[in-house]
């Protein structure tokens, strides 16, 4: 039996046990409204030390520092929606791959009277009982019920598709066999759902053709099947500090959907030939078979780029080609703002700091993914094809003289980021300011993002001379999965903030060097600071009158993760 794993659900086992509930990101009252999230059943509220019957809503939803919370929320929005799509493409926290949210594997059946058990042997309450208990504790709150295929239906389909992975499927005979290409995948060490790979082909006339291969889950997943509807309802995989809640069952996303080393895999392959200036001279898209020769970590790929061994020069040449492409985008206004990124990761219930450093291989993969998105977008534009285009309005950036007066790096980037608008999505093409592109589509993570799967289906319909979704039909689907994606982003943000609080509780006596970036709420002396040792931008109380770039000393003034409290304070360094 193949089991499709929804996230774990927790109910209070004793009066003193912490009952974790997430705040809803939509609809007032925002702090306490329970919902069934698309990855559910999951209940969203605040984290409280005890769950008492008929606990007052105001008590549960109370926040101790409204000014800091509001400013941090705006900062999170700015960071999430104003940053480069390159970060969204590849700094997507794939390194959080693992089991369930608390590290266990979960075995769930449907809720039609069947018990649920986990690997620990303890029976888990069914969703209806948990929701009823929550409603008893918080009378008057409204639950948002989301319909979905039953777990049994999804399990049956997953079991069938797992068996069908090695069997011929419709359209397989039309795939181009690219297994002879020297193909590699590049990902974090613990990533198991590999959805993109790269190749370099040297043509007889001296031209070099860059190949970007993308996993093809649509070979097995039929539109509107139980697993497809569930993936649409989830919108994307959900990345939490303790692990990933995948969009598709792991037996599929880590199995027949994935581009696995030394195994023939179904893919969508894009080929690109670049002109001397980095523009696209020629391109094409086709369904294919590929067989990755190596599964490289970013560290492995960095060494191959740096050493460029004569027996394996492909990555070094790919790096040169994609640097040329990156410079082409920069000449058209693209913004490059790479900094180390720190996140709190939870292992065995203990939070730890993990920092992702920029590297040549990460830049290479990011640029390849952006190139693929540009090629797919141009494919759609030329054919009048409705796609989930991503765009960003032009920004009025500070004058060059003003930016050059600021310290390079985080301080200058903060001045730029505050001017950027949120990314937009629509079914018609529009320019993307920070990428320097006239049109852009995310198209390289169909195992993790439902929108990317929709893109593949739209392209497939055109190539097969079948009617694709119209703009209205696509817009209807887009509204469904984008709502779930936004909600998931909010849950991930709240999860990361909670574990930051837990981490700072354990380091409350420490101090860190910080650099002042800008004011968030000057009237509250709330500023944004960069802590290089943590690779984080944090909201903190700062001395009056400090200027961007000023050196400060950060310490924890107050923290209580059970009451959602974190107050950081800076003094002169």
């Amino acid at each position: 039996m193949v089991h499709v794993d929804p996230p774990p659900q927790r109910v209070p086992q004793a009066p003193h046990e912490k009952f974790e509930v997430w705040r809803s990101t939509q609809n007032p009252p925002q702090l306490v409204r329970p919902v069934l999230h698309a990855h559910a059943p999951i209940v969203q509220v605040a984290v409280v030390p005890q769950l008492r019957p008929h606990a007052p809503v105001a008590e549960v939803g109370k926040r101790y520092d409204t000014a800091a919370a509001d400013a941090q929320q705006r900062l999170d929005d700015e960071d999430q929606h104003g940053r480069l799509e390159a970060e969204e493409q590849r700094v997507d926290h794939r390194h959080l791959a693992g089991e369930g949210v608390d590290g266990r594997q979960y075995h769930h059946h449907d809720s039609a009277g069947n018990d649920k058990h986990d690997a620990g042997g303890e029976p888990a309450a069914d969703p209806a009982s948990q929701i009823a208990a929550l409603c008893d504790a918080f009378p008057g709150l409204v639950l948002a019920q989301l319909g979905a295929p039953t777990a049994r239906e999804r399990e049956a389909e997953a079991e069938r598709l797992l068996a069908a992975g090695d069997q011929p499927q419709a359209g397989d005979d039309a795939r181009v066999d690219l297994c002879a290409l020297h193909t590699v995948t590049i990902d974090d060490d613990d990533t198991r759902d590999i959805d993109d790979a790269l190749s370099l082909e040297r043509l007889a006339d001296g031209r070099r053709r860059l190949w970007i291969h993308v996993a093809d889950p649509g070979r097995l997943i039929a539109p509107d099947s139980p697993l497809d509807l569930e993936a649409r309802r989830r919108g994307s995989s959900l990345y939490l500090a303790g692990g990933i809640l995948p969009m598709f069952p792991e037996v599929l996303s880590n199995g027949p959907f994935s581009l696995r080393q030394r195994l023939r895999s179904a893919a969508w392959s894009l080929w690109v030939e670049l002109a001397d200036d980095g523009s696209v001279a020629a391109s094409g898209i086709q369904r294919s078979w590929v067989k990755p020769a190596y599964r490289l970590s970013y560290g492995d790929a960095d060494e191959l780029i740096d050493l460029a061994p004569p027996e394996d020069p492909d990555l070094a040449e790919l790096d040169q080609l994609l640097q040329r492409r990156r410079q082409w985008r920069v000449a058209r206004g693209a913004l490059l703002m790479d900094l180390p990124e720190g996140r709190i990761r939870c292992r065995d219930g203990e939070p730890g700091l993990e920092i992702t450093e920029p590297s040549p291989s990460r830049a290479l993969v990011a640029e390849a993914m952006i190139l693929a998105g540009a090629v797919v977008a141009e494919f759609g534009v030329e054919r009048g094809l409705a796609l989930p285009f991503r765009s960003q309005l032009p920004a009025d950036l500070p004058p060059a003289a003003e930016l050059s007066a600021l310290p390079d790096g985080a301080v200058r980037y903060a001045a730029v980021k505050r001017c950027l608008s949120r990314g937009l999505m629509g079914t018609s093409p529009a320019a993307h300011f920070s990428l320097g592109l006239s049109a852009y589509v995310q198209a390289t993570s169909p195992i993790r993002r439902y929108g990317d799967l929709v893109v593949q289906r739209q392209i497939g319909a055109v190539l097969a001379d079948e009617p694709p979704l119209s703009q209205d039909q696509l817009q209807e689907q887009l509204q469904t999965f984008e709502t779930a994606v936004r909600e998931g982003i909010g849950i991930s943000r709240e999860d990361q903030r909670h574990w930051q609080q837990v981490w700072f509780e354990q380091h409350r006596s420490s101090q860190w060097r910080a650099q002042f970036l800008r004011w968030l709420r000057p009237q509250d002396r709330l500023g944004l600071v960069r802590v290089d040792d943590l690779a984080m931008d944090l909201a903190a109380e700062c001395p009056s009158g400090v200027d961007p770039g000023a050196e400060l000393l950060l310490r924890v003034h107050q923290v209580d993760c059970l009451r959602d409290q974190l107050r950081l304070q800076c003094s002169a360094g």
Side-chain angles (χ1 to χ4, degrees):
M1 171 70 71
V2 173
H3 301 295
V4 180
D5 300 335
Q9 305 169 52
R10 301 184 65 239
V11 293
Q13 302 299 314
H16 64 273
E17 182 179 359
K18 179 177 70 174
F19 184 34
E20 288 192 25
V21 201
W22 297 92
R23 278 184 299 281
S24 171
T25 59
Q26 302 177 28
N27 299 329
Q30 292 187 351
L31 296 183
V32 294
R33 177 176 177 270
V35 301
L36 290 181
H37 179 250
H39 287 78
I42 210 176
V43 197
Q44 296 181 311
V45 196
V47 182
V48 293
Q50 298 183 40
L51 184 65
R52 302 192 308 275
H54 310 296
V57 168
E59 179 180 324
V60 178
K62 183 178 180 181
R63 300 188 65 166
Y64 96 108
D65 191 343
T66 304
D70 290 347
Q72 185 64 50
Q73 180 68 52
R74 289 198 304 276
L75 176 62
D76 289 340
D77 287 344
E78 172 188 295
D79 184 61
Q80 179 65 41
H81 299 283
R83 65 186 182 175
L84 291 178
E85 291 287 341
E87 294 179 62
E88 185 177 353
Q89 282 282 359
R90 297 302 297 190
V91 187
D92 58 2
H93 320 307
R94 299 180 182 186
H95 51 282
L96 298 180
E99 295 83 22
V101 172
D102 62 356
R104 296 181 293 176
Q105 292 288 347
Y106 290 87
H107 169 179
H108 286 253
H109 293 292
D110 64 12
S111 57
N114 295 321
D115 291 334
K116 295 177 168 59
H117 300 271
D118 60 26
E122 294 293 328
D126 66 274
S129 298
Q130 296 184 53
I131 295 167
L134 186 68
C135 290
D136 287 341
F138 300 104
L141 296 180
V142 180
L143 294 174
Q145 180 68 51
L146 299 174
T150 66
R152 183 163 292 169
E153 290 175 317
R154 300 194 300 273
E155 288 173 357
E157 184 182 2
E159 196 169 53
R160 177 177 59 80
L161 296 184
L162 191 61
D166 295 329
Q167 303 301 317
Q169 301 296 318
D172 280 355
D173 55 351
R175 293 180 183 272
V176 177
D177 191 341
L178 300 176
C179 292
L181 286 176
H182 180 69
T183 300
V184 299
T185 66
I186 306 174
D187 257 296
D188 289 297
D189 291 324
D190 51 4
T191 300
R192 297 294 176 264
D193 52 342
I194 310 293
D195 53 13
D196 56 73
L198 299 171
S199 305
L200 180 66
E201 182 182 10
R202 297 171 182 84
L203 303 178
D205 58 4
R207 289 177 294 138
R208 292 179 296 179
R209 178 171 288 179
L210 188 157
W211 287 90
I212 303 164
H213 313 286
V214 181
D216 184 9
R219 174 177 180 263
L220 297 176
I221 293 285
D224 298 325
S225 69
L227 284 178
D228 181 68
L229 292 175
E230 179 65 14
R232 187 185 309 170
R233 197 172 65 92
R234 296 185 177 206
S236 68
S237 296
L238 184 61
Y239 297 88
L240 304 176
I244 295 177
L245 304 181
M247 185 174 74
F248 289 117
E250 288 185 348
V251 291
L252 296 176
S253 60
N254 297 355
F257 290 177
S258 184
L259 302 182
R260 294 170 290 176
Q261 182 179 358
R262 291 191 290 274
L263 292 178
R264 191 177 80 145
S265 303
W268 280 95
S269 294
L270 298 83
W271 61 266
V272 183
E273 294 175 17
L274 296 177
D276 291 342
D277 65 351
S279 61
V280 175
S283 64
I285 305 175
Q286 57 201 38
R287 269 183 160 152
S288 65
W289 295 110
V290 298
K291 183 184 287 186
Y294 301 131
R295 182 187 183 280
L296 301 176
S297 68
Y298 285 108
D300 297 332
D302 286 334
E303 288 188 15
L304 286 173
I305 292 171
D306 181 45
L307 299 176
E311 66 275 14
D312 196 355
D314 288 8
L315 273 187
E317 290 191 37
L318 284 171
D319 183 57
Q320 293 172 1
L321 286 172
L322 290 165
Q323 284 190 42
R324 183 193 308 171
R325 174 64 179 178
R326 186 180 303 113
Q327 291 308 311
W328 180 89
R329 288 196 304 110
V330 169
R332 282 150 185 79
L335 304 175
L336 304 181
M337 296 184 288
D338 289 332
L339 286 174
E341 180 183 0
R343 288 180 63 83
I344 303 302
R345 184 175 180 180
C346 182
R347 291 182 180 275
D348 300 322
E350 288 298 317
L353 175 65
E354 183 170 284
I355 296 177
T356 301
E357 297 281 353
S359 74
S361 62
R362 289 184 185 274
L364 178 153
V365 173
E367 195 63 41
M369 300 305 107
I370 294 172
L371 175 58
V375 169
V376 169
E378 186 60 28
F379 178 95
V381 170
E382 291 176 351
R383 293 160 179 78
L385 179 64
L387 294 172
F389 291 97
R390 291 188 175 268
S391 61
Q392 187 182 47
L393 296 174
D396 186 13
L397 299 181
E402 181 180 329
L403 287 177
S404 62
L406 297 173
D408 194 12
V411 178
R412 194 175 297 176
Y413 296 164
V416 171
K417 285 182 180 180
R418 69 181 306 180
C419 301
L420 300 178
S421 61
R422 291 188 178 211
L424 303 174
M425 179 180 282
T427 56
S428 298
H432 196 295
F433 176 75
S434 61
L435 287 183
L437 296 174
S438 59
Y440 178 68
V441 172
Q442 284 186 319
T444 57
S445 291
I447 300 177
R448 301 182 182 94
R449 290 191 300 244
Y450 189 79
D452 297 35
L453 177 58
V454 171
V455 168
Q456 290 184 342
R457 287 174 174 162
Q458 289 289 86
I459 295 173
V462 169
L463 296 182
D465 292 325
E466 298 174 355
L469 296 177
S470 66
Q471 284 196 342
D472 289 343
Q473 290 171 323
L474 179 59
Q475 184 64 38
E476 184 178 349
Q477 281 198 15
L478 189 152
Q479 289 174 347
T480 299
F481 63 76
E482 272 300 291
T483 297
V485 168
R486 287 194 299 271
E487 193 175 72
I489 289 171
I491 290 176
S492 296
R493 178 192 298 136
E494 292 293 304
D495 173 75
Q496 184 63 199
R497 189 177 68 177
H498 167 70
W499 286 105
Q500 276 188 3
Q501 292 169 357
V502 176
W503 189 88
F504 277 113
E505 273 190 330
Q506 296 179 358
H507 297 80
R508 65 172 73 226
S509 60
S510 300
Q511 297 185 110
W512 302 270
R513 292 288 177 184
Q515 188 177 37
F516 182 77
L517 300 181
R518 64 181 178 86
W519 288 108
L520 297 173
R521 293 279 293 267
Q523 66 273 28
D524 299 309
R525 293 197 304 151
L526 190 69
L528 179 65
V529 299
R530 174 73 179 181
V531 183
D532 286 335
D533 288 344
L534 307 182
M536 292 181 183
D537 294 352
L538 298 167
E541 182 181 330
C542 298
S544 299
V546 294
D547 295 320
E551 297 295 328
L552 302 172
L553 195 62
L554 178 76
R555 65 182 181 87
V556 179
H557 178 69
Q558 185 177 4
V559 60
D560 187 334
C561 68
L562 296 182
R563 292 178 173 81
D564 191 23
Q565 296 178 4
L566 174 61
R567 180 174 291 176
L568 303 175
Q569 194 171 61
C570 283
S571 57

